[in-house]
Amino acid sequence: MDDYRSEVDCSSLLKQGAEAKIYTGVYLGKLCIIKERFPKKYRHPALELSLSQQRTKSEVRSMLRCRTQGIQTPAVFFVNTEENKIYMEYVNDSVTVRDYIIQVQSSSDDAASSLLKPLAYKIGEKLGKMHNKNIIHGDLTTSNMLLRKPVENLDIVLIDFGLSYINSTNEDKGVDLYVLERAFLSTHPNTESLFSVLLDGYQNGYRNGVGDVVRKLNEVRLRGRKRTMVG
Ligand SMILES: Nc1ncnc2c1ncn2[C@@H]1O[C@H](COP(=O)(O)OP(=O)(O)OP(=O)(O)O)[C@@H](O)[C@H]1O
Ligand SMILES: [Mg+2]
C-alpha cells in the first residue's frame, strides 16, 4: 500500500474547499492535483468516512465515464480509497469559468456579450452531451468548470463530480440544470440572457427529447418560486 507514496513527489496545498483539500504534486513525473476529502467534525466519524468514500468513488466513476464519452474531465492517475485521495491531471493553464466571466464582465459590455455568449452556448452543449449519457453532475456551478487557455478555444473541462450519479429521468436532469441556474445567476448577476444562450446550447447537445427536460426545469423553477413565497 505504501508503494504509491514513492511515486508522489512533494505536494503543496493549492485550495481548501468545503469538503476537500486540493494539493499540487508530481505523480510519476507528471504535475498532478491531489484531491483529498477530509472528515467534517460535526458529523459522526463512521458516517463521515462512508460519505467521503462514496463521494471519492462517484467522482472517479463519473470522470472516467465522461472521458469515455468524449466529455473532458481531468485524467485520473491514481486513487487511494483508504485515504480518499484522487490523483488527477492538473489542468494548470486554465481559469475557472467563474473567474473568467467576472473578469470579462468587468471589462466592457460589448466584450462581455461577444465573448461570453459562445462560451455559454458551448457549456450548454457539453452539459447536454453529459445528460445524454445520463450523468447527473449534482453540483453544477461556474467554479466547477475550467477553461483551458487560450480561452478563445472554448475548451471546457468539467470537475468536482463528488455528488454525481447516473440517472435517466428528466426530473433529475431538470434539477441539475436548476442547480446551475441558481448558482449562475447568484454568482453572475444580470446574466439571465446569457443563461438562456446556455440552454440553447443544451438543446443542441442533448437532442433526445430535450423539450421534456426543459419542461421539467420550468416545473422545478415554479416549485422553487412557490417555496420562496411560502418561506
Ligand atoms: N484538476 C484540476 N486542475 C486544476 N485546478 C483544479 C483541478 N481540480 C480542482 N482544481 C481547482 O480547485 C478548486 C476546487 O476543486 P473542487 O471543486 O474539485 O473541490 P471542492 O472541495 O468541491 O471545492 P469547493 O468546495 O470550492 O467546490 C477548483 O475550483 C479549481 O480551481
Ligand atoms: Mg468545487
Side-chain angles (χ1 to χ4, degrees):
M1 193 58 229
D2 273 351
D3 282 353
Y4 79 93
R5 286 179 217 277
S6 58
E7 313 297 356
V8 184
D9 298 334
C10 63
S11 59
S12 59
L13 189 66
L14 181 70
K15 287 193 178 166
Q16 164 124 32
E19 299 206 356
K21 286 179 181 153
I22 307 286
Y23 299 92
T24 53
V26 177
Y27 183 73
L28 288 177
K30 281 190 182 145
L31 201 57
C32 75
I33 284 282
I34 304 161
K35 180 168 181 175
E36 177 186 18
R37 289 203 158 72
F38 53 83
K40 279 191 174 170
K41 299 260 170 354
Y42 60 82
R43 283 196 299 235
H44 190 277
L47 171 68
E48 183 56 37
L49 181 68
S50 128
L51 271 178
S52 294
Q53 283 171 339
Q54 216 172 295
R55 289 186 180 160
T56 299
K57 278 187 199 155
S58 303
E59 177 145 34
V60 172
R61 269 201 207 117
S62 295
M63 282 165 91
L64 295 178
R65 194 171 170 119
C66 278
R67 283 176 70 83
T68 58
Q69 304 298 339
I71 300 154
Q72 276 203 66
T73 62
V76 176
F77 295 156
F78 182 79
V79 188
N80 179 338
T81 47
E82 282 174 21
E83 294 177 1
N84 293 310
K85 287 181 182 168
I86 305 172
Y87 297 73
M88 66 179 96
E89 170 194 353
Y90 182 15
V91 187
N92 63 334
D93 212 6
S94 70
V95 58
T96 63
V97 167
R98 174 187 182 274
D99 291 350
Y100 180 66
I101 294 179
I102 291 173
Q103 178 208 315
V104 171
Q105 280 193 322
S106 67
S107 53
S108 87
D109 279 355
D110 286 350
S113 81
S114 67
L115 287 171
L116 296 183
K117 277 187 178 163
L119 173 66
Y121 191 88
K122 193 74 187 280
I123 292 170
E125 251 183 348
K126 273 253 131 111
L127 300 180
K129 284 186 186 154
M130 185 182 79
H131 280 180
N132 240 335
K133 301 296 170 193
N134 300 326
I135 303 166
I136 311 295
H137 184 283
D139 189 18
L140 285 174
T141 65
T142 50
S143 299
N144 289 337
M145 300 169 189
L146 304 176
L147 187 56
R148 285 191 202 267
K149 291 181 182 169
V151 290
E152 296 73 31
N153 290 352
L154 303 180
D155 218 346
I156 297 148
V157 183
L158 299 178
I159 60 166
D160 205 359
F161 281 85
L163 297 177
S164 67
Y165 57 97
I166 304 298
N167 187 291
S168 61
T169 65
N170 298 321
E171 168 82 18
D172 286 37
K173 291 170 187 174
V175 171
D176 217 20
L177 288 181
Y178 182 66
V179 167
L180 175 63
E181 183 178 51
R182 294 300 295 255
F184 200 102
L185 300 181
S186 67
T187 314
H188 312 291
N190 308 315
T191 52
E192 283 79 3
S193 63
L194 200 59
F195 194 79
S196 91
V197 174
L198 189 151
L199 287 181
D200 291 343
Y202 181 85
Q203 316 221 8
N204 191 40
Y206 188 66
R207 292 165 194 267
N208 238 346
V210 70
D212 298 333
V213 178
V214 174
R215 211 167 303 128
K216 275 291 168 196
L217 170 63
N218 284 328
E219 275 179 38
V220 182
R221 278 171 173 162
L222 218 64
R223 266 185 254 151
R225 239 173 264 145
K226 277 188 193 146
R227 217 170 292 135
T228 318
M229 281 161 64
V230 171

